[in-house]
């Protein structure tokens, strides 16, 4: 899943010579939190709502309203922006973008092409959209979580049982995080399962593997078997 397929391609940027007032107005009107800062079309920084708040006069200031307005209308974006901002190439995967956001402790960043031109932005919200799409939660099916032996075919064994009961897979995910050596967790989401036969399905799954939980998003039922 590449960044270019999930980024926002409608780049809203501001020139390095724009005022704080202009930048603040754009952020508010567009409902965004980040603005790439350009100089002659090239990325030179980024400005956020946090930068603007930090540079604005304190509420405790003794300045008059017109004096405050004068200040924010004359301070240039280039004076308060974050220089050399984190970016992500358009052909990186979404997972790589998420790693950068997490590592840098930021909520969004510009996406650049091979020449370094800004071609979009990607934010935590975009990552959340990917998560929803990847897991297939919108199908409102049933998610099963298993602790499986880390061997070829272990996921297929439980998936085949679910298919036997009419289940159509929307996602199969697995992880080695927080599991004993020699095991992995698997998360299978399926829909169109015959719910009248659900107790029998659950019994068969428990006989075949260690079932951790079963969450029916359509019926809003949650059964946790192992913490």
């Amino acid at each position: 899943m590449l960044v270019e397929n999930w980024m926002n391609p409608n780049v809203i940027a501001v020139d390095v010579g724009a005022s704080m007032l202009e930048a603040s107005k754009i952020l508010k009107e567009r409902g965004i939190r980040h603005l790439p800062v350009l100089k002659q079309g090239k990325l030179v920084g980024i400005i956020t709502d946090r930068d603007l708040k930090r540079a604005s006069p304190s509420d405790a200031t003794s300045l008059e309203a017109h004096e405050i307005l004068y200040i924010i209308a004359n301070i240039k974006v280039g004076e308060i922006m974050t220089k050399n901002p984190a970016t992500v190439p358009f052909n990186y995967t979404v997972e790589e973008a998420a790693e950068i956001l997490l590592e840098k402790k930021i909520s969004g960043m510009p996406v650049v092409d091979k020449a370094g031109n800004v071609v979009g932005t990607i934010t935590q919200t975009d990552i959340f959209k990917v998560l929803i799409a990847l897991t297939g939660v919108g199908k409102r099916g049933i998610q099963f979580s298993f602790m499986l032996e880390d061997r070829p075919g272990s996921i297929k064994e439980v998936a085949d049982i679910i298919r036997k009961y009419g289940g159509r897979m929307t996602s199969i995910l697995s992880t080695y995080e927080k599991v004993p050596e020699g095991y992995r967790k698997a998360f299978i989401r399926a829909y169109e399962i015959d719910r009248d036969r659900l107790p029998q399905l659950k019994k068969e799954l428990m006989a075949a593997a260690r079932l951790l939980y079963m969450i029916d998003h359509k019926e809003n039922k949650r059964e946790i078997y192992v913490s």
Side-chain angles (χ1 to χ4, degrees):
M1 304 181 80
L2 299 179
V3 167
E4 66 176 332
N5 300 130
W6 291 93
M7 69 182 187
N8 182 352
N10 301 315
V11 181
I12 302 171
V14 65
D15 187 79
V16 69
S19 69
M20 273 182 60
L21 186 60
E22 291 175 272
S24 179
K25 185 177 180 181
I26 294 172
L27 289 174
K28 185 176 181 180
E29 289 180 349
R30 299 285 186 165
I32 55 179
R33 296 170 58 189
H34 313 83
L35 273 177
V37 181
L38 307 180
K39 183 177 182 179
Q40 297 180 345
K42 294 296 183 179
L43 181 69
V44 292
I46 193 167
I47 191 162
T48 68
D49 51 359
R50 183 181 299 178
D51 295 323
L52 293 173
K53 289 174 183 176
R54 186 169 56 242
S56 298
S58 166
D59 291 338
T61 183
S62 59
L63 296 174
E64 298 291 339
H66 70 278
E67 294 175 308
I68 294 175
L69 185 60
Y70 177 82
I71 290 173
I72 63 175
N74 284 274
I75 294 178
K76 303 303 180 185
V77 166
E79 300 175 45
I80 60 173
M81 69 182 183
T82 298
K83 298 179 181 179
N84 302 315
T87 62
V88 61
F90 72 101
N91 56 1
Y92 267 38
T93 64
V94 172
E95 305 96 286
E96 289 174 301
E99 278 187 325
I100 296 172
L101 292 178
L102 185 62
E103 178 187 341
K104 301 291 185 181
K105 295 182 173 62
I106 54 178
S107 58
M109 58 186 166
V111 180
V112 295
D113 63 14
K114 292 179 180 179
N117 299 311
V118 179
V119 293
T121 58
I122 192 160
T123 67
Q124 290 176 336
T125 299
D126 298 315
I127 303 296
F128 294 153
K129 291 177 181 177
V130 174
L131 179 63
I132 291 170
L134 190 64
T135 59
V137 68
K139 287 288 188 179
R140 290 293 180 266
I142 300 175
Q143 186 183 69
F144 302 88
S145 174
F146 302 92
M147 180 75 75
L148 301 175
E149 293 180 32
D150 184 24
R151 58 175 173 78
S154 61
I155 292 180
K156 183 179 182 300
E157 289 169 8
V158 292
D160 284 346
I161 295 173
I162 295 171
R163 289 190 185 95
K164 190 169 70 173
Y165 286 81
R168 296 182 59 187
M169 308 300 165
T170 57
S171 65
I172 299 178
L173 305 172
S174 69
T175 179
Y176 291 99
E177 295 291 326
K178 300 179 181 179
V179 296
E181 184 71 25
Y183 288 84
R184 63 175 165 173
K185 285 183 180 178
F187 306 88
I188 300 178
R189 190 183 303 278
Y191 66 107
E192 293 191 1
I193 293 174
D194 184 350
R195 282 174 168 74
D196 290 337
R197 300 173 66 201
L198 199 54
Q200 185 178 345
L201 167 59
K202 182 174 67 174
K203 184 177 180 180
E204 193 167 340
L205 287 174
M206 286 181 162
R210 184 178 172 191
L211 183 61
L212 303 179
Y213 67 73
M214 183 177 72
I215 297 178
D216 188 337
H217 290 281
K218 184 178 180 180
E219 303 294 333
N220 196 26
K221 293 180 179 178
R222 300 166 187 271
E223 298 183 12
I224 311 298
Y225 310 117
V226 180
S227 60

